[in-house]
Amino acid sequence: MKTALITGCSSGYGLETARHFHAQGWNVIATMRNPREDLLPRSARLRVLPLDVTDPTSIAAVLAHSGPIDVLVNNAGIGLFGAFEATPMSTTRAVFETNTFGVMAMTQAVLPQFRERRTGVVVNVTSSATLAPMPLVAVYTASKMAVEGFTASLAFELQDFGVRVKLIEPGYAPSTRFTSNGSQRMQGLIPQAYAPYAQRVFTSFAQTDAVTTEADVAAAVWHAATTSDPQLRFPAGADAVALARAR
């Protein structure tokens, strides 16, 4: 029976992906900063563990209790919406610590076991912001674009060891907690000079018909993790698929 370790499972894509892999009969290690056992079904095949992807000690502790894993899903991330001019560099660094360096740290931690066993899959979740420029998310986009470049290069250097690396590019998902999870971090990031433009952006988002759901992303992660297709990028959600085709 195979095992998937999934980061960022407290809500949204990570939570739905953990449920999906479990429903497919896999062992699942669902990690979150603040573990909540009530979010997932009680099962001998499912464990909820605390994990802060920005903390090397936390990463080591999770892997010490995980045993061999077959798939790593790097889903943990934080959102940011605001004018770059108003974004403190400390906030920019915090976004990169989780969205970029956290992905790298988790990947580096599991690679020795994948390489030695000559098998394993790393699935990195980015965003459709990497498919087409989007307004007021410059820092967030930069953190995800870095993961895209990292993943594409890593795929080459691991292929001789039988280790596969994949990218999931979710579209706009209004049903997730992207904004609420980052509300405190985003305070003050829309100065008065940017307010009219920001309002037009918010209005365009509200009028969007084609959106992404958590189930879209979970299905894409599952497909990427289990397919023998050499495809690197997997857009998830109707809007992301349309952007990928346009590109």
Side-chain angles (χ1 to χ4, degrees):
M1 189 178 297
K2 292 190 174 183
T3 298
L5 191 158
I6 305 165
T7 69
C9 291
S10 62
S11 65
Y13 304 150
L15 179 58
E16 189 63 26
T17 299
R19 290 169 174 162
H20 190 86
F21 272 78
H22 180 261
Q24 300 300 321
W26 281 45
N27 291 320
V28 174
I29 301 166
T31 69
M32 349 178 159
R33 281 179 181 263
N34 301 300
R36 285 186 54 187
E37 301 279 352
D38 60 306
L39 295 175
L40 291 156
R42 291 187 176 275
S43 169
R45 292 188 290 104
L46 197 152
R47 283 184 290 164
V48 177
L49 296 179
L51 173 64
D52 179 350
V53 298
T54 70
D55 182 356
T57 302
S58 180
I59 293 173
V62 163
L63 292 180
H65 292 90
S66 297
I69 65 173
D70 300 281
V71 172
L72 168 67
V73 180
N74 283 312
N75 165 77
I78 56 177
L80 193 71
F81 189 94
F84 175 69
E85 178 185 341
T87 305
M89 286 307 298
S90 59
T91 301
T92 297
R93 291 187 178 95
V95 171
F96 269 78
E97 281 295 337
T98 296
N99 292 3
T100 309
F101 301 132
V103 168
M104 291 179 170
M106 284 299 301
T107 302
Q108 192 171 62
V110 303
L111 285 186
Q113 62 167 288
F114 282 2
R115 174 179 49 77
E116 289 167 7
R117 287 167 28 219
R118 304 188 71 83
T119 186
V121 186
V122 178
V123 181
N124 294 331
V125 180
T126 59
S127 167
S128 62
T130 66
L131 297 171
M134 295 184 185
L136 299 177
V137 287
V139 169
Y140 176 78
T141 300
S143 72
K144 294 296 189 177
M145 287 291 286
V147 173
E148 293 259 333
F150 163 71
T151 305
S153 180
L154 189 66
F156 283 114
E157 66 185 77
L158 295 179
Q159 60 186 2
D160 282 353
F161 299 107
V163 178
R164 293 174 289 135
V165 189
K166 305 292 183 179
L167 281 163
I168 305 299
E169 299 164 327
Y172 170 57
S175 59
T176 65
R177 290 162 53 189
F178 179 93
T179 301
S180 61
N181 282 347
S183 58
Q184 183 175 358
R185 188 167 49 251
M186 298 180 201
Q187 288 182 2
L189 299 191
I190 305 292
Q192 187 57 41
Y194 286 86
Y197 177 67
Q199 186 56 54
R200 294 197 299 273
V201 172
F202 291 142
T203 299
S204 68
F205 282 162
Q207 295 172 344
T208 300
D209 293 325
V211 296
T212 296
T213 67
E214 292 91 334
D216 292 332
V217 178
V221 171
W222 167 260
H223 178 58
T226 57
T227 185
S228 58
D229 192 322
Q231 179 179 341
L232 173 67
R233 293 177 170 85
F234 296 81
D239 52 334
V241 170
L243 286 173
R245 287 173 178 165
R247 186 183 67 173

